[in-house]
Amino acid sequence: MAYHIDTLAVHGGQVPDPVTRARGLPVWRTTAYNFDSAEHGANLFALKDLGFIYTRLGDPTSDILEKRLALLEGGAAAVVTASGTAAIHYTALTLAKAGDEFVSASNLYGGTHTMFSVLLKDQGITVRFADVTRPETFRSAINEKTRFLYVETMGNPSLEVADVAALAAVAHEHRIPLVVDATFTPPVNYRPMADGADIVIHSLSKWIGGHGAAIGGAVIDSGRFDWKNSNVPAFTEPDPNYHGLRWSLDLPAELSPIAFALRFRTVPLRNLGACLSPDNSWIFLQGLETLPARMDRHNANGLAVARWLKKHPKVAWVRYPGLEDDPGHGLASRAFAGRFGGMVVFGLKGADGDSQLASCRRFIDSLRLFSHLANVGDAKSLAIHPGTTTHSQLSPEAQREAGVPPELVRLSVGIEHPEDILGDLEQALYRA
Ligand SMILES: Cc1ncc(COP(=O)(O)O)c(C=O)c1O
């Protein structure tokens, strides 16, 4: 019987431990695993047998988390990493090498923007930025060196919504995968693979963990992309990282659909090493159990805050995909089925740039219930001014392209009582 997503969030990927019959989630704290025999060890390394070798490559607690995430996203396999940032970096390295290119939306989390435009560039991998609201700009940036397309389902912090189905069609026309960072739309709100995404990334540090308690990341492989006929040579040519294996041609038939997840685990994760600790996997599994219930509250509170801010005389503009007049509302209504999330961004009124910035600072300094910090997706309400923090490494032009005007304030609306949330915003706006 196929369970609903709420049930999978509680049970997916786990059976009570057969040895001890423990019902809770065990944490397997060990560095390495005994082989049954010399042949068993050799077979594990040759991918003829699948099993645990060394915790950098995987462990039983993380394995439950990976299985549950794959079930929730409708994918075939997942790999967890030490952070969302590592998941993004290793995805790029799984698909591209020096001399290759990829096309990304420009409205990205600031750290991802810097990784793409500076670090990957220094490693010889070139990003071309496109406008997420115009899928044709992705098409025109693709050339014979392009290995993948990249978008955030809902940009951080612009909250511009990506048309995943249209972008998947552009990617597949060119036989390259669409990679989607779905951190702002956890699986109970949206499942991008249903719209054609091939690879989904999450920063687990946000809603999936849900309590601001640990950093982690994940990549989920749909198992549906045809790597054999792709324009991604890392999967068709002999790989010197893995004794000349051709990932789309030489794997046993049952493994070839998840060639991406296998190369991700055995090439960048194995050799660069940003693995998730079993203890943090345990924290994320605890978080997943309550994700559907928490998201109901985040979604309701996010909508209530956006509607309230929209009417406030001190507020110049509000972006929230659940508002009927938001530019992303049509797309978001179709894709997210009325579940628009807990992120709200808005601009304060002010005579000019300087006074707007001063109002932002006074507003943020006056908040009492909201925590002022650089995170999103906590049960607690959070606020920040991205222009001078998370996106401060970007040039003024890159900030504009990323959808970060100087007056923008970002709220991650928590699960407290809505009247207490609105009360805190009211008193801080009064002081701003
Ligand atoms: C959309 C998005 N993707 C990725 C990341 C990076 O994740 P992590 O902090 O887990 O490395 C963030 C962090 O804020 C984010 O907002």
Side-chain angles (χ1 to χ4, degrees), residues 185-200:
T185 53
V188 277
N189 278 10
Y190 180 44
R191 297 168 98 200
M193 284 177 188
D195 279 337
D198 301 293
I199 293 154
V200 168

Side-chain angles (χ1 to χ4, degrees), residues 117-331:
S117 56
V118 186
L119 275 163
L120 286 182
K121 185 169 161 231
D122 287 348
Q123 294 178 336
I125 300 173
T126 303
V127 62
R128 289 178 187 272
F129 284 116
D131 177 353
V132 74
T133 63
R134 295 190 298 136
E136 68 278 11
T137 61
F138 283 76
R139 185 181 280 111
S140 46
I142 293 174
N143 61 37
E144 73 286 354
K145 293 185 198 158
T146 310
R147 302 297 172 234
F148 64 98
L149 303 187
Y150 187 95
V151 289
E152 292 178 3
T153 48
M154 214 199 282
N156 177 2
S158 67
L159 305 190
E160 206 72 74
V161 180
D163 187 341
V164 171
L167 290 160
V170 173
H172 297 158
E173 263 169 43
H174 294 86
R175 295 181 293 125
I176 53 175
L178 173 65
V179 180
V180 163
D181 177 342
T183 300
F184 275 34
T185 53
V188 277
N189 278 10
Y190 180 44
R191 297 168 98 200
M193 284 177 188
D195 279 337
D198 301 293
I199 293 154
V200 168
I201 292 174
H202 281 285
S203 165
L204 303 176
S205 330
K206 318 299 184 197
W207 290 269
I208 287 178
H211 300 84
I215 302 284
V219 63
I220 300 117
D221 179 345
S222 73
R224 289 194 282 273
F225 187 74
D226 180 6
W227 299 102
K228 265 191 211 77
N229 298 311
S230 71
N231 187 23
V232 188
F235 286 82
T236 50
E237 292 174 2
D239 188 351
N241 290 292
Y242 218 82
H243 47 71
L245 188 84
R246 294 168 307 166
W247 291 93
S248 66
L249 300 166
D250 301 336
L251 287 171
E254 68 278 13
L255 293 184
S256 61
I258 56 162
F260 172 84
L262 284 171
R263 185 167 199 263
F264 183 104
R265 191 187 296 283
T266 48
V267 178
L269 183 62
R270 179 184 185 207
N271 301 309
L272 296 174
C275 60
L276 190 62
S277 84
D279 294 78
N280 283 347
S281 289
W282 185 91
I283 288 174
F284 294 125
L285 279 159
Q286 292 293 117
L288 274 177
E289 291 193 6
T290 57
L291 178 71
R294 281 185 288 109
M295 287 317 296
D296 284 349
R297 189 65 170 250
H298 282 295
N299 293 332
N301 284 355
L303 185 60
V305 165
R307 286 190 173 146
W308 182 86
L309 284 173
K310 186 90 186 168
K311 291 196 199 123
H312 199 283
K314 288 203 175 169
V315 171
W317 55 266
V318 183
R319 285 290 317 252
Y320 182 73
L323 293 175
E324 284 74 13
D325 60 352
D326 189 87
H329 185 66
L331 255 178

Side-chain angles (χ1 to χ4, degrees), residues 40-41 59 148 241 299 328 371 412:
H40 178 225
D59 67 87
F148 64 98
N241 290 292
N299 293 332
S371 303
S412 172

